[in-house]
């Protein structure tokens, strides 16, 4: 099955700096890679996603890059703000044609004012 | 759009009793719903995949007779934890995927915190 590794597990940055979270996956047939933000006690919220036919996608301060050859994808947050503090999860679809997701273990991001 | 609700948001029950959790897609039809379990400070673990009108597919290690899933309509799936024990205490979250062949996005409910005493 799919295995998703996520690093780092915790990340502290100064407000205004950039944050990068990296994930690797094992199944070369995976073709959908979402990122979720989860605040304490709340639901995971989809913040950005990317399909395997695209190398990069950007939405304001958030961007995701995908390297299919190396089987890794990354979340980039620029100009971080205190409200970006949360746990971020990457995920990968379970092979081609599957809608199931395998999640990484999460990264706790702290943005220091 | 893409709002998923879950009820109840929290529940406390006694050991040996059963608890039903509802997951509803409010503004879209959900072909597939997923049930996850999340322990404190841990990731989301998929328990089962539920397709409308068919039996749920359970992940390895998840007891289907203990965690009963029913997906009776395109907007409602239920998870019943039968004969609950303290080790079943956890945060249960559902997600829903919209209809349409290329729709991968999953939208999550707010979760249900179950405490078994």
């Amino acid at each position: 099955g799919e295995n998703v590794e996520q690093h780092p597990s915790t990340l502290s940055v100064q407000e205004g700096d950039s944050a990068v979270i990296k994930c690797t996956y094992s199944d070369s047939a995976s073709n959908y890679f979402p990122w979720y933000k989860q605040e304490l006690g709340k639901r995971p919220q989809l913040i950005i996603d990317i399909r395997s036919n695209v190398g990069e996608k950007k939405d304001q301060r958030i961007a995701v890059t995908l390297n299919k050859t190396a089987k890794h994808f990354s979340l980039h947050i620029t100009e971080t703000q205190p409200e970006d503090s949360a746990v971020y999860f990457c995920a990968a679809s379970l092979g081609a044609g599957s809608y199931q997701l395998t999640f990484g273990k999460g990264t706790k991001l702290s943005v220091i004012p | 759009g893409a709002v998923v609700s879950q009820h109840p948001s929290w529940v406390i029950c006694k050991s040996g009793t059963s608890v039903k959790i509802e997951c509803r897609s409010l503004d879209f039809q959900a072909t597939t719903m997923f049930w996850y379990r999340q322990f404190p400070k841990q990731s989301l673990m998929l328990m089962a995949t539920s397709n409308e009108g068919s039996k749920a597919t359970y992940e390895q290690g998840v007891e289907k007779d203990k965690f009963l899933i029913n997906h009776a309509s395109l907007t409602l799936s239920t998870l019943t934890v039968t004969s609950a024990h303290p080790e079943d205490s956890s945060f249960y979250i559902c997600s829903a995927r919209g209809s349409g062949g290329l729709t991968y996005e999953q939208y999550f409910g707010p979760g249900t915190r179950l405490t078994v005493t």
Side-chain angles (χ1 to χ4, degrees), chain A residues 52-79:
Chain A
S52 59
N53 58 348
V54 176
E56 184 174 358
K57 184 177 179 181
K58 190 174 182 180
D59 182 4
Q60 299 183 338
R61 297 187 296 110
I62 295 173
V64 57
T65 58
L66 171 65
N67 183 326
K68 284 177 59 179
T69 303
K71 290 189 281 189
H72 67 71
F73 55 113
S74 301
L75 176 71
H76 303 254
I77 306 174
T78 59
E79 300 173 24

Side-chain angles (χ1 to χ4, degrees), chain B residues 5-65:
Chain B
S5 71
Q6 222 174 304
H7 178 81
S9 55
W10 59 271
V11 58
I12 301 173
C13 71
K14 292 187 176 181
S15 187
T17 62
S18 295
V19 173
K20 181 185 282 188
I21 302 169
E22 292 187 350
C23 178
R24 293 181 185 270
S25 56
L26 299 185
D27 53 0
F28 67 103
Q29 292 185 328
T31 305
T32 309
M33 288 185 173
F34 303 88
W35 287 94
Y36 295 85
R37 187 171 177 176
Q38 187 176 34
F39 291 103
K41 298 184 179 181
Q42 293 192 22
S43 188
L44 297 145
M45 289 180 49
L46 180 65
M47 298 175 64
T49 301
S50 165
N51 289 296
E52 185 265 339
S54 61
K55 289 184 179 180
T57 303
Y58 291 82
E59 295 301 297
Q60 192 172 7
V62 178
E63 298 177 56
K64 63 179 181 181
D65 294 330

Side-chain angles (χ1 to χ4, degrees), chain A residues 16-93:
Chain A
D17 287 351
S18 296
V20 180
I21 302 170
K22 298 181 179 182
C23 288
T24 60
Y25 60 98
S26 59
D27 189 345
S28 57
S30 295
N31 56 2
Y32 175 65
F33 308 91
W35 285 88
Y36 287 88
K37 175 184 180 182
Q38 187 178 30
E39 296 178 42
L40 189 62
K42 297 191 175 180
R43 76 183 81 197
Q45 291 196 311
L46 179 66
I47 56 172
I48 197 167
D49 57 12
I50 194 167
R51 305 283 175 97
S52 59
N53 58 348
V54 176
E56 184 174 358
K57 184 177 179 181
K58 190 174 182 180
D59 182 4
Q60 299 183 338
R61 297 187 296 110
I62 295 173
V64 57
T65 58
L66 171 65
N67 183 326
K68 284 177 59 179
T69 303
K71 290 189 281 189
H72 67 71
F73 55 113
S74 301
L75 176 71
H76 303 254
I77 306 174
T78 59
E79 300 173 24
T80 54
Q81 300 167 3
E83 51 265 38
D84 294 330
S85 297
V87 178
Y88 291 80
F89 292 99
C90 65
S93 62

